[in-house]
Amino acid sequence: MKKIKLAVIFGGQSSEYPVSLHSTASVLRQIDTKKYEILKVGISQDGKWYTYYGDIDALEHDQWLCADMCKETVLSCSQAYKGFLELEADGTYHHIAVDCILPILHGKNGEDGTIQGLFELSGISYVGCGHMSSAICMDKEMTHIVAEHAGIPCAPYICVYKRDAADLKKVYEDAKAKLGLPIFIKPANAGSSFGISKVDGFEEFAKGMSEAFYHDGKGKVILETTIEGFEIGCAVMGNDVLTIGSVDEIEITNDFFDYEGKYEMVNSHIYCPARIDEELFQKAQKMAADVYRALNCQGMTRVDMFVTPQHTIVFNELNTIPGFTSTSRYPSMMKEIGIEFSDLIDRLIALALEK
Ligand SMILES: Nc1ncnc2c1ncn2[C@@H]1O[C@H](COP(=O)(O)OP(=O)(O)O)[C@@H](O)[C@H]1O
Ligand SMILES: [Mg+2]
């Protein structure tokens, strides 16, 4: 059988760069190399692209970026050269054709539709959501607008642009009146809980707003009513026909599921499947599928929700390129329904090629 030429793209100009390295190492260790001819493409934190010929350990430990293991490269958008152009030291380049791209990039520049637009122009199949749905899922205001339009229950919210936040006291008073206390402050475009805070008074609010604006980069912040209860997630895969994975549950012992909780399991524990009754479990799976459709997702997405003390489900957010280590939530939820890690990768690539 002819091998599929697969470019695995890792790193990226994003605060979630380290997460990408861990996810990529897991994928490279478990992907079936009998089926794929793999080209590893790294994007440095300052946005330079390289083809990488070193081993997986160096990649995982962020020691991949050195001259003897890398060559500068660019993704061609010309249909005359579909694939990558690798630049040689003497100024010449050679063309590397690929059949499919697997981006394992999180957050800004990787999950927000920008690179997906580039993939579209390249004419090469790629794993995951298209550029528009990636952009909408990344932006918490746009996600709210589209999900609410589709009748999905979300937390009450206010969107604040920096240009309208000169009188912060007024913003706070309006938010307190509409949303109640405590208020969740979130950058509209970030991830991994960067720049998020839960606040109860004006001083904390002012500090939280400046943190959130710092992490957003586009001057947009979302304020939300605090949803009581606990968090669950559901893994969804597919283009036209959907495979709905299991539902997991997050147990946290501090204010919210923060960076350390997510990646080092500090003050947090994940149960898969979630310890909820069958009816609620099915409701969560249905909501996940509805959100996936409403946001026009393709390939894969992890849908995060809350279960309230009244046993209702409130949608929180979507992750179009969820964490991909072998213990990450998305692969664990798929494993729970019988889809092992390497099979999951095969299916995601097949979905990309079928688009
Ligand atoms: N409205 C809310 N009510 C209660 N907890 C929230 C709310 N919004 C966010 N959180 C908490 O903050 C965490 C991060 O928020 P989230 O919207 O998922 O942003 P990110 O994109 O950074 O993951 C969530 O996992 C949850 O623990
Ligand atoms: Mg989240």
Side-chain angles (χ1 to χ4, degrees):
M1 199 176 70
K2 207 166 159 268
K3 286 188 178 186
I4 294 169
K5 296 190 189 94
L6 181 74
V8 176
I9 308 193
F10 64 90
Q13 260 188 305
S14 154
S15 42
E16 288 162 281
Y17 170 93
V19 184
S20 160
L21 301 188
H22 288 296
S23 292
T24 305
S26 284
V27 169
L28 292 175
R29 285 195 186 104
Q30 298 192 57
I31 195 165
D32 186 348
T33 48
K34 290 195 289 299
K35 293 182 186 155
Y36 307 101
E37 189 181 315
I38 292 171
L39 179 73
K40 302 189 283 287
V41 178
I43 304 175
S44 64
Q45 283 173 290
D46 58 354
K48 294 176 185 149
W49 292 48
Y50 302 90
T51 33
Y52 169 64
Y53 296 97
D55 66 24
I56 301 173
D57 283 349
L59 188 163
E60 186 166 31
H61 298 114
D62 198 14
Q63 290 157 354
W64 62 276
L65 193 49
C66 47
D68 57 342
M69 294 193 291
C70 292
K71 285 186 175 175
E72 279 198 66
T73 196
V74 290
L75 175 62
S76 162
C77 289
S78 165
Q79 299 310 300
Y81 297 96
K82 257 172 102 166
F84 289 84
L85 299 179
E86 193 174 74
L87 307 176
E88 303 293 348
D90 63 3
T92 59
Y93 62 84
H94 86 271
H95 173 230
I96 307 172
V98 297
D99 303 314
C100 186
I101 296 172
L102 171 57
I104 311 179
L105 304 163
H106 305 297
K108 198 173 168 208
N109 295 321
E111 207 177 342
D112 61 359
T114 49
I115 207 165
Q116 285 74 16
L118 186 67
F119 298 155
E120 297 281 344
L121 286 177
S122 79
I124 302 166
S125 301
Y126 60 97
V127 171
C129 293
H131 65 290
M132 186 181 71
S133 103
S134 300
I136 294 174
C137 293
M138 184 71 194
D139 185 301
K140 294 194 194 316
E141 183 198 17
M142 297 313 293
T143 305
H144 261 284
I145 292 171
V146 178
E148 279 177 11
H149 182 75
I152 313 276
C154 308
Y157 79 104
I158 295 174
C159 176
V160 184
Y161 283 86
K162 198 166 193 172
R163 59 173 182 263
D164 301 325
D167 185 352
L168 210 53
K169 189 82 190 169
K170 182 172 182 319
V171 176
Y172 172 72
E173 291 302 334
D174 288 350
K176 195 167 101 174
K178 180 173 174 192
L179 308 173
L181 290 175
I183 298 166
F184 257 88
I185 306 178
K186 320 203 261 195
N189 290 274
S192 286
S193 298
F194 288 124
I196 293 189
S197 47
K198 181 183 181 180
V199 302
D200 233 331
F202 179 67
E203 252 172 54
E204 281 180 309
F205 181 79
K207 194 165 160 268
M209 290 297 278
S210 98
E211 270 284 295
F213 279 128
Y214 172 78
H215 281 277
D216 180 69
K218 290 183 186 163
K220 188 159 84 166
V221 156
I222 293 293
L223 309 177
E224 278 181 8
T225 296
T226 296
I227 304 296
E228 303 298 340
F230 56 91
E231 286 167 74
I232 56 171
C234 180
V236 185
M237 171 167 61
N239 296 335
D240 293 333
V241 179
L242 301 187
T243 303
I244 315 292
S246 186
V247 176
D248 72 357
E249 172 193 345
I250 297 155
E251 186 179 59
I252 45 172
T253 50
N254 53 357
D255 263 356
F256 60 93
F257 198 28
D258 57 14
Y259 187 86
E260 288 72 28
K262 284 176 177 171
Y263 302 114
E264 289 150 36
M265 304 319 290
V266 177
N267 297 318
S268 67
H269 187 82
I270 292 170
Y271 295 90
C272 184
R275 301 164 302 170
I276 53 178
D277 65 39
E278 189 53 33
E279 195 189 333
L280 209 51
F281 198 95
Q282 282 175 12
K283 267 193 197 157
Q285 287 182 312
K286 176 165 188 315
M287 186 182 288
D290 290 347
V291 175
Y292 193 93
R293 290 276 188 237
L295 278 288
N296 197 19
C297 295
Q298 300 237 296
M300 65 174 161
T301 286
R302 195 188 77 225
V303 182
D304 291 348
M305 298 158 277
F306 301 102
V307 175
T308 69
Q310 295 73 38
H311 294 276
T312 60
I313 301 175
V314 176
F315 163 61
N316 180 30
E317 64 142 356
L318 295 140
N319 297 274
T320 54
I321 309 186
F324 246 90
T325 71
S326 47
T327 56
S328 290
R329 299 175 58 198
Y330 187 91
S332 302
M333 286 188 265
M334 284 302 180
K335 190 173 177 182
E336 191 55 32
I337 62 157
I339 302 172
E340 294 293 333
F341 199 93
S342 70
D343 182 19
L344 176 60
I345 298 165
D346 290 348
R347 290 184 192 219
L348 290 170
I349 293 165
L351 285 168
L353 293 171
E354 121 192 340
K355 265 196 279 183

